[in-house]
Amino acid sequence: MAQIKLLLEKQLLTIQNQEIIASGDSNFDSCKFIFDESWDGFTKTGVFYQDQANVQYAVLGNDDTCMIPAAAMARAGRMYIGVFGIKDTAVVTSTLCTIDIKEGAISGGNVSTEPTDDVFLAIIAQYQRIADLMGQYEKTAAQFNTVMTEQNNILETLNAFDVEEISERLDLIEDRIINYTNLAKEIQNREIIIRDVPIKFVNKVCRIENDAITANSLCDVYFDEYSFELASKALIMPVAHDGYMELTSSIDIMDELTANILVRRS
């Protein structure tokens, strides 16, 4: 049994040993990947092919090893090896290495070239994690669409859309992502938090300029712990205008305060 050892230094992939692999092998030869710290936390998938029209994938185990898919070495010739990783919304890919597959005693022409189920499951799990992140409404709608496009590109590479059951499951997830995107747009247009705003009163008035504020906005001011002690001694009234708001204090406050401002637009 041959095991190819490969070293990953950031995105540079290099083969560390030479092994003889014959065409027609199945569930016999493997790869051992050695990653540097830049790959920590990524779910890693090996990439193997002789023909770019029939790319094969194998999800790495906890020991960063995988069997070489039989379809990737079904015939004699040059085989390309690479790896990519997924963590949350991040995707990292390696460069490619090559090894020569020697002519074997049997033919591998009847070996299936369909991607394995574990690859689909790994990508579906990644979709679910993205959908869960969207549920927290911490990203903008533009970022959601970027993530969706990146994941679709990966799935198209895997030929996942040719598999009816997988397509149906991903369609449901895509609908959910679109719903989150629309909700995020609505929230983004309706409520905005302006964080860590410096508040300095001059003649009991502080003007805060921001294009998100309109004359019809309702503005709530939340002072940090230090500023609240000083601000609580006064009556501070916010008044919104187009492009800015004014805070009026009932007493002179000489210190500079800090606050977060919630702007609610109708």
Side-chain angles (χ1 to χ4, degrees):
M1 179 175 66
Q3 184 176 76
I4 305 299
K5 295 181 180 179
L6 303 106
L7 176 64
L8 264 296
E9 296 176 302
K10 295 185 178 179
Q11 293 180 273
L12 178 62
L13 180 66
T14 55
I15 295 178
Q16 301 299 294
N17 65 331
Q18 294 294 327
E19 293 279 3
I20 301 299
I21 297 180
S23 63
D25 285 0
S26 180
N27 294 321
F28 186 71
D29 304 304
S30 64
C31 282
K32 169 69 175 179
F33 294 86
I34 303 168
F35 297 89
D36 66 14
E37 64 277 4
S38 66
W39 289 76
D40 289 350
F42 282 82
T43 299
K44 311 172 190 83
T45 301
V47 180
F48 305 87
Y49 66 89
Q50 290 178 301
D51 180 355
Q52 285 187 324
N54 293 313
V55 181
Q56 303 299 307
Y57 302 87
V59 176
L60 305 191
N62 293 332
D63 58 354
D64 291 329
T65 64
C66 68
M67 301 301 294
I68 301 175
M73 48 184 182
R75 66 178 188 274
R78 178 161 295 180
M79 179 176 70
Y80 294 84
I81 303 175
V83 66
F84 69 87
I86 297 175
K87 180 171 67 174
D88 297 327
T89 60
V91 179
V92 61
T93 64
S94 75
T95 57
L96 291 171
C97 287
T98 61
I99 63 171
D100 290 327
I101 305 299
K102 305 301 182 182
E103 186 69 45
I106 62 174
S107 170
N110 294 324
V111 175
S112 172
T113 60
E114 289 299 318
T116 56
D117 290 341
D118 56 355
V119 175
F120 289 135
L121 294 176
I123 300 301
I124 290 171
Q126 175 65 10
Y127 254 93
Q128 187 61 52
R129 288 196 295 272
I130 292 173
D132 291 340
L133 285 173
M134 292 176 179
Q136 301 173 22
Y137 311 122
E138 294 180 350
K139 295 183 180 292
T140 65
Q143 289 173 312
F144 294 171
N145 289 331
T146 298
V147 171
M148 186 66 193
T149 300
E150 291 173 352
Q151 298 306 307
N152 277 344
N153 289 339
I154 294 175
L155 287 170
E156 288 171 353
T157 302
L158 296 176
N159 295 320
F161 295 117
D162 296 334
V163 183
E164 182 176 358
E165 179 181 356
I166 300 299
S167 294
E168 291 176 354
R169 295 175 67 181
L170 292 179
D171 284 343
L172 292 175
I173 295 174
E174 183 175 0
D175 289 342
R176 182 181 175 187
I177 290 174
I178 291 172
N179 290 336
Y180 280 135
T181 300
N182 293 336
L183 182 57
K185 288 179 180 178
E186 181 181 347
I187 292 173
Q188 185 181 32
N189 290 331
R190 191 175 64 230
E191 294 186 356
I192 294 175
I193 297 178
I194 307 172
R195 300 185 182 275
D196 300 323
V197 179
I199 307 295
K200 181 65 175 177
F201 289 98
V202 178
N203 296 326
K204 301 181 182 180
V205 176
C206 175
R207 177 174 171 137
I208 301 162
E209 296 187 358
N210 192 291
D211 291 338
I213 302 172
T214 66
N216 295 325
S217 298
L218 296 177
C219 299
D220 295 324
V221 182
Y222 299 93
F223 292 96
D224 64 17
E225 184 176 356
Y226 166 76
S227 302
F228 180 77
E229 293 183 6
L230 297 173
S232 62
K233 300 175 183 179
L235 176 62
I236 298 177
M237 298 293 295
V239 178
H241 303 272
D242 288 331
Y244 71 97
M245 65 175 292
E246 287 186 341
L247 293 178
T248 302
S249 172
S250 61
I251 64 173
D252 286 322
I253 299 177
M254 306 307 296
D255 298 70
E256 182 173 289
L257 310 181
T258 302
N260 293 330
I261 299 174
L262 173 62
V263 180
R264 290 177 291 179
R265 300 183 291 190
S266 58

